[in-house]
């Protein structure tokens, strides 16, 4: 009977250790964040756990250097880079407690036990949302190096009217 009791006590101790380790990992995952800045330093993004945007900073130069479409694209790329950084930290945190054969990125994506054919998008069905085709991005160096910003030129146009 004492042998059985010792086994139960050992199982309970293992359970408590596992539960504490899980709580520790959960705290680390909740604290994960990622930060990125655009190459020119005009946009800085901070994302939290799960990649949600927590903060976005735009320098005053951002509005002068970039047209609205360019700035929007720069923001999207910068937020994506911050989210990738946070995802990398998430995977590092999870890899310490997962079996060696488990891919942390696949686990986070929800595809750990699926084959690619099971989660790949189905190309046979398309939905028309009535959207206009995306405008082509014009990357004109001359436009980016103009002396007055697009804001100043619009203000001048309004004053002339």
């Amino acid at each position: 009977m004492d042998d059985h009791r010792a086994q139960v006590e050992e199982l309970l101790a293992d359970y408590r250790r596992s539960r504490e380790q899980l709580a520790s990992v959960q705290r680390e995952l909740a604290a994960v964040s990622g930060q990125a800045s655009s190459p020119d330093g005009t946009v800085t993004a901070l994302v939290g756990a799960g990649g949600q945007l927590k903060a976005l900073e735009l320098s005053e130069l951002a509005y002068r250097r970039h047209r609205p479409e360019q700035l929007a694209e720069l923001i999207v790329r910068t937020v994506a880079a911050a989210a990738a950084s946070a995802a990398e930290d998430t995977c590092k945190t999870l890899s310490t407690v997962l079996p060696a054969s488990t891919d942390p990125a696949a686990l986070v994506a929800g595809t750990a036990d699926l084959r690619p054919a099971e989660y790949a998008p189905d190309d046979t069905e398309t939905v028309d949302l009535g959207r206009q085709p995306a405008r082509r991005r014009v990357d004109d160096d001359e436009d980016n190096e103009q002396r007055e910003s697009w804001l100043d030129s619009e203000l001048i146009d309004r004053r002339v009217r």
Side-chain angles (χ1 to χ4, degrees):
M1 191 68 137
D2 288 330
D3 189 36
H4 183 65
R5 179 168 287 212
Q7 286 180 322
V8 170
E9 291 298 325
E10 186 177 332
L11 286 172
L12 282 172
D14 286 345
Y15 170 76
R16 288 184 188 109
R17 279 191 297 276
S18 294
R19 188 166 165 79
E20 179 51 41
Q21 183 181 30
L22 176 63
S24 174
V25 168
Q26 287 289 358
R27 286 189 296 272
E28 288 179 49
L29 290 173
V32 164
S33 66
Q35 184 169 341
S37 293
S38 62
D40 65 359
T42 59
V43 177
T44 301
L46 174 68
V47 299
Q52 72 275 18
L53 185 61
K54 294 288 191 181
L56 180 66
E57 293 179 20
L58 305 174
S59 75
E60 192 170 316
L61 286 175
Y63 301 106
R64 295 191 180 280
R65 286 188 183 166
H66 306 285
R67 291 205 168 275
E69 306 87 27
Q70 294 166 330
L71 183 56
E73 186 177 315
L74 186 60
I75 290 169
V76 169
R77 283 195 317 257
T78 305
V79 170
S85 173
E88 186 178 323
D89 287 350
T90 296
C91 289
K92 285 179 186 175
T93 299
L94 286 174
S95 66
T96 63
V97 294
L98 292 175
S101 62
T102 303
D103 178 12
L107 182 69
V108 170
T111 60
D113 60 348
L114 300 174
R115 294 183 307 277
E118 294 177 296
Y119 62 84
D122 183 7
D123 293 335
T124 61
E125 185 179 322
T126 59
V127 177
D128 180 13
L129 299 176
R131 294 185 184 157
Q132 296 292 324
R135 292 186 350 192
R136 279 190 43 229
R137 177 176 170 236
V138 177
D139 196 11
D140 187 1
D141 287 339
E142 187 176 300
D143 189 40
N144 286 336
E145 294 176 6
Q146 64 187 3
R147 292 192 182 228
E148 66 181 11
S149 80
W150 65 272
L151 288 173
D152 295 335
S153 62
E154 285 185 8
L155 290 174
I156 290 170
D157 288 344
R158 287 187 192 149
R159 288 185 197 145
V160 171
R161 291 181 194 167

